[in-house]
Amino acid sequence: MAARHFLRNPKDLQDYGSWAVVTGTTDGIRKALVFELASKGLNLGLIGWNPSKLEATSSELRDRFGATTEVKTGVADLTKLSGEEIAAAIAGATEGIDVRLLVNDAGLAYPYPSCFHEVDRELMESMLRVNVNAALWATKGVIDGMLKRKRGAILNSGSGSSVCIPSFPLLTLYASTKAYIRIVAIYKFDRVNNVMDYK
């Protein structure tokens, strides 16, 4: 009874279209999400930094789903690329396909909790590039087409650190990047929802 009031029915992702592009696709829960999307009948554009892991994931998808799922891959080390380079990598991986679902799932966190002043500068820069820049530039790369067709969905992978706990002193930068993406999504889609025809 309570579930009926608090949970809604899942959306049929194919209502948006047949192609999903996913960043950060070769390990753990992110990899599981890719297989879940394929099980729903979606074709996949996979963006990752490790060519051998991308190929292994692609092979596993083809073995499990056969010809029902097309897979394209794009290699992009999001820790090192500028925004324009990220957009170019997304464009290259999605050339010739009609992207209707974007899953910004790439993420980077600290290897262990640290105070802000203890965070290595290179890690800080990498975290900002992966958690913020990659999501923004990937979204920028597909949203114009979605608006033109009045159909599409963008899913930003989040973290409870951005909403559940009022203070995260040992994960300040990570929590801040996730909170930033959450706020961008709220404001961006408040405007976009008035233009797109969601089912």
Side-chain angles (χ1 to χ4, degrees), residues 34-126:
V34 167
F35 279 82
E36 183 64 21
L37 292 172
S39 77
K40 304 297 183 193
L42 292 172
N43 298 313
L44 298 164
L46 309 179
I47 309 295
W49 66 273
N50 186 317
S52 60
K53 285 186 174 185
L54 278 171
E55 184 52 43
T57 301
S58 298
S59 294
E60 288 177 51
L61 286 163
R62 289 184 189 104
D63 289 345
R64 185 176 303 176
F65 299 104
T68 62
T69 300
E70 288 184 60
V71 181
K72 292 183 87 173
T73 61
V75 177
D77 185 349
L78 302 176
T79 64
K80 304 216 180 330
L81 300 180
S82 70
E84 292 288 344
E85 291 168 327
I86 291 167
I90 298 290
T94 60
E95 187 175 356
I97 63 175
D98 183 11
V99 179
R100 297 296 183 96
L101 173 63
L102 170 65
V103 182
N104 285 314
D105 207 15
L108 184 63
Y110 302 175
Y112 48 85
S114 304
C115 291
F116 181 77
H117 68 280
E118 298 171 335
V119 177
D120 170 276
R121 287 177 185 267
E122 185 177 339
L123 175 60
M124 181 182 296
E125 184 63 35
S126 294

Side-chain angles (χ1 to χ4, degrees), residues 3-198:
R4 186 173 63 209
H5 296 288
F6 295 107
L7 302 175
R8 64 181 183 185
N9 291 328
K11 291 190 179 281
D12 182 352
L13 296 177
Q14 288 197 338
D15 285 348
Y16 296 112
S18 63
W19 278 93
V21 171
V22 187
T23 62
T25 59
T26 57
D27 292 300
I29 196 165
R30 294 176 174 101
K31 184 176 179 178
L33 176 63
V34 167
F35 279 82
E36 183 64 21
L37 292 172
S39 77
K40 304 297 183 193
L42 292 172
N43 298 313
L44 298 164
L46 309 179
I47 309 295
W49 66 273
N50 186 317
S52 60
K53 285 186 174 185
L54 278 171
E55 184 52 43
T57 301
S58 298
S59 294
E60 288 177 51
L61 286 163
R62 289 184 189 104
D63 289 345
R64 185 176 303 176
F65 299 104
T68 62
T69 300
E70 288 184 60
V71 181
K72 292 183 87 173
T73 61
V75 177
D77 185 349
L78 302 176
T79 64
K80 304 216 180 330
L81 300 180
S82 70
E84 292 288 344
E85 291 168 327
I86 291 167
I90 298 290
T94 60
E95 187 175 356
I97 63 175
D98 183 11
V99 179
R100 297 296 183 96
L101 173 63
L102 170 65
V103 182
N104 285 314
D105 207 15
L108 184 63
Y110 302 175
Y112 48 85
S114 304
C115 291
F116 181 77
H117 68 280
E118 298 171 335
V119 177
D120 170 276
R121 287 177 185 267
E122 185 177 339
L123 175 60
M124 181 182 296
E125 184 63 35
S126 294
M127 197 177 304
L128 288 169
R129 284 186 174 160
V130 174
N131 295 357
V132 175
N133 289 357
L136 294 177
W137 281 94
T139 299
K140 185 71 172 157
V142 300
I143 199 165
D144 287 341
M146 290 178 177
L147 289 169
K148 182 178 179 182
R149 293 182 298 271
K150 296 190 175 192
R151 182 68 37 107
I154 298 170
L155 171 66
N156 292 313
S157 179
S159 169
S161 68
S162 68
V163 292
C164 296
I165 299 174
S167 176
F168 248 97
L170 297 178
L171 294 170
T172 300
L173 183 61
Y174 174 78
S176 298
T177 62
K178 291 301 183 177
Y180 177 80
I181 290 299
R182 178 177 175 269
I183 294 300
V184 167
I186 289 168
Y187 291 123
K188 172 176 56 186
F189 293 113
D190 184 47
R191 163 74 180 104
V192 170
N193 279 337
N194 295 326
V195 178
M196 283 190 189
D197 174 29
Y198 285 98

